[in-house]
Amino acid sequence: MQKIYINMKKTFLLLAITLFSAAFVSAQKKIINIPGISGYVTLKCDFHIHTVFSDGNVWPAYRVDEAWKDGLDVLAITDHLEYLPHKDYIPADHNAAFKIASQRAAERNLILIHSTEITRSMPPGHLNALFVEDAATIYDEDDYKTIENAAKQGAFIHWNHPGWKAQEPDGIPKLYDIHKKLLANGLINGIEFFNYNEYYPNILEWCEEYDLAVIANSDEHGIISENYGHTTRPMTLVFAKERTRESLKEAMFDSRTLAYFNNTLAGREDLLSKVFEASISISKPYYENDNYSWVEITNDSDVSFKMINGSEGVADGFTIAANAVTTLMIKKGSGKTFEWDVENMLTGYEEYLHVSIDF
Ligand code: ZN
């Protein structure tokens, strides 16, 4: 009996110590391995998410915790300006979510961007205004005027889910006159390529033509982990000079972004090519026989590169697996430089990044 009592006492003591330590640490943040390129840091960002302050189901501070656990650097809470279904219970305050989430973002070392979603029928559809000063003074009955009001606050404006079937029944994004006018006046700065589980491949040619940022966002209304079990949410990779709000904004207006989701990257050819180069390293041949030499390709990123259309003398198609070493056989006498397309790096509609590798 005495023995049991002593053990229980120890247990209580251990429990007390554990609870005490728990106040100073929290759950771990995941690391997303996408290398920096050309002296830029790679910021992982979700610029489109909802809370109870519009039609989302969660409290703003919870959005910060989710984003932090997912390994993001940047989050924009973008509650609708026009659609507030909870307003009988939650006050209609367009700046509240940002204010509430700011403290938690500071504690989590997450860059929180003050933002809102302008929610209109098509055209122009839905657009996010990021980096706003005061979301409460943006609304106007007129679509164009509303977007202009956001831009006057220095906002970066991106067009959301341009092929969303509720607004564009065939699912194919189209540039209407108002979009052309907005583009001509610099009032659209980016377009979503990935939104939730949809993607819009034909927007890449507009991004190239008008020099726009290619964007990927979750547009989550419920709980992130319910939708993305073993994968990560859609995110925008921004190549910024520093991990600061100012550098982030500069990089976005310079269109140094890629869309990333489901092991697929989409956007500018020069950026895709640099991410590929920064991710892999190739060994010298470490073994050979009369017909082949063997090399190792090390991939330090989370992206498994799907190589297709290989040149003569090497595998026509193979995968350079993520965070792994892949062995490649090279036929002797077939040269030192070989070419492939990377099927999961999209530069345009059904267009892939073309790479050549020296061995
Ligand atoms: Zn939305």
Side-chain angles (χ1 to χ4, degrees):
M1 202 59 205
Q2 179 66 11
K3 218 174 174 185
I4 289 168
Y5 170 75
I6 290 166
N7 281 345
M8 279 180 72
K9 202 175 160 191
K10 272 187 182 164
T11 309
F12 281 131
L13 192 66
L14 274 174
L15 191 67
I17 290 167
T18 311
L19 287 173
F20 184 69
S21 324
F24 294 98
V25 296
S26 50
Q28 279 80 33
K29 170 183 170 167
K30 182 174 156 182
I31 294 173
I32 300 167
N33 283 316
I34 305 286
I37 56 167
S38 319
Y40 296 126
V41 290
T42 304
L43 301 180
K44 294 97 186 180
C45 317
D46 187 354
F47 297 118
H48 191 169
I49 207 156
H50 296 274
T51 75
V52 289
F53 284 90
S54 64
D55 56 347
N57 292 333
V58 311
W59 189 247
Y62 182 76
R63 286 295 184 221
V64 172
D65 289 348
E66 278 182 325
W68 179 78
K69 278 184 191 165
D70 272 0
L72 298 187
D73 298 288
V74 179
L75 181 72
I77 296 176
T78 52
D79 282 313
H80 300 284
L81 266 189
E82 300 86 347
Y83 183 52
L84 307 172
H86 305 147
K87 65 177 181 296
D88 290 345
Y89 306 99
I90 308 246
D93 179 340
H94 298 298
N95 295 308
F98 176 74
K99 282 185 201 157
I100 292 165
S102 288
Q103 177 66 33
R104 182 72 114 246
E107 290 167 8
R108 296 295 201 201
N109 193 21
L110 188 93
I111 301 173
L112 185 71
I113 305 299
H114 196 179
S115 308
T116 190
E117 180 167 16
I118 299 164
T119 316
R120 305 295 162 111
S121 52
M122 187 73 87
H126 297 191
L127 299 101
N128 279 354
L130 314 177
F131 306 99
V132 303
E133 297 294 331
D134 180 3
T137 58
I138 289 171
Y139 178 86
D140 191 279
E141 265 184 42
D142 181 69
D143 301 337
Y144 191 90
K145 190 84 183 26
T146 304
I147 296 163
E148 209 173 37
N149 286 344
K152 278 181 190 154
Q153 295 188 10
F156 176 98
I157 293 154
H158 71 73
W159 183 12
N160 301 342
H161 43 69
W164 182 36
K165 285 191 174 153
Q167 292 196 322
E168 199 63 270
D170 65 3
I172 299 168
K174 292 160 196 72
L175 280 185
Y176 293 90
D177 285 345
I178 187 168
H179 297 124
K180 290 177 187 162
K181 189 178 165 192
L182 290 163
L183 285 165
N185 294 323
L187 297 175
I188 292 180
N189 313 111
I191 311 182
E192 281 183 347
F193 179 88
F194 287 114
N195 173 286
Y196 181 43
N197 59 4
E198 294 193 345
Y199 80 115
Y200 314 102
N202 75 327
I203 65 114
L204 291 177
E205 64 179 275
W206 301 335
C207 288
E208 199 179 333
E209 186 181 343
Y210 296 99
D211 192 19
L212 307 174
V214 181
I215 305 285
N217 291 322
S218 71
D219 198 1
E220 183 63 52
H221 290 70
I223 291 170
I224 283 281
S225 59
E226 294 288 312
N227 286 321
Y228 309 99
H230 298 293
T231 180
T232 41
R233 70 176 88 189
M235 68 186 72
T236 309
L237 305 178
V238 180
F239 304 98
K241 286 174 190 159
E242 292 176 335
R243 192 187 184 280
T244 63
R245 182 187 179 280
E246 290 66 34
S247 286
L248 169 76
K249 193 173 177 183
E250 183 275 327
M252 292 177 73
F253 275 107
D254 195 37
S255 306
R256 295 198 307 271
T257 68
L258 290 173
Y260 176 40
F261 180 51
N262 205 13
N263 199 45
T264 301
L265 287 155
R268 276 167 51 177
E269 192 176 347
D270 61 324
L271 297 173
L272 289 170
S273 158
K274 282 174 184 160
V275 168
F276 180 81
E277 282 168 22
S279 299
I280 65 162
S281 54
I282 293 153
S283 76
K284 291 203 170 94
Y286 59 89
Y287 173 67
E288 57 181 45
N289 65 15
D290 291 343
N291 299 318
Y292 293 97
S293 35
W294 275 255
V295 296
E296 286 177 341
I297 307 176
T298 302
N299 178 359
D300 288 317
S301 82
D302 285 354
V303 183
S304 286
F305 299 103
K306 311 261 186 209
M307 314 300 282
I308 56 166
N309 304 325
S311 37
E312 197 68 34
V314 282
D316 178 48
F318 74 109
T319 298
I320 304 176
N323 298 303
V325 176
T326 301
T327 295
L328 183 70
M329 291 165 68
I330 300 170
K331 199 167 187 340
K332 281 188 163 175
S334 53
K336 288 210 172 302
T337 304
F338 299 92
E339 299 184 10
W340 286 270
D341 290 325
V342 188
E343 197 177 22
N344 57 326
M345 297 188 104
L346 307 174
T347 57
Y349 185 70
E350 291 183 352
E351 284 173 14
Y352 311 116
L353 180 72
H354 190 77
V355 294
S356 74
I357 303 179
D358 293 325
F359 291 93

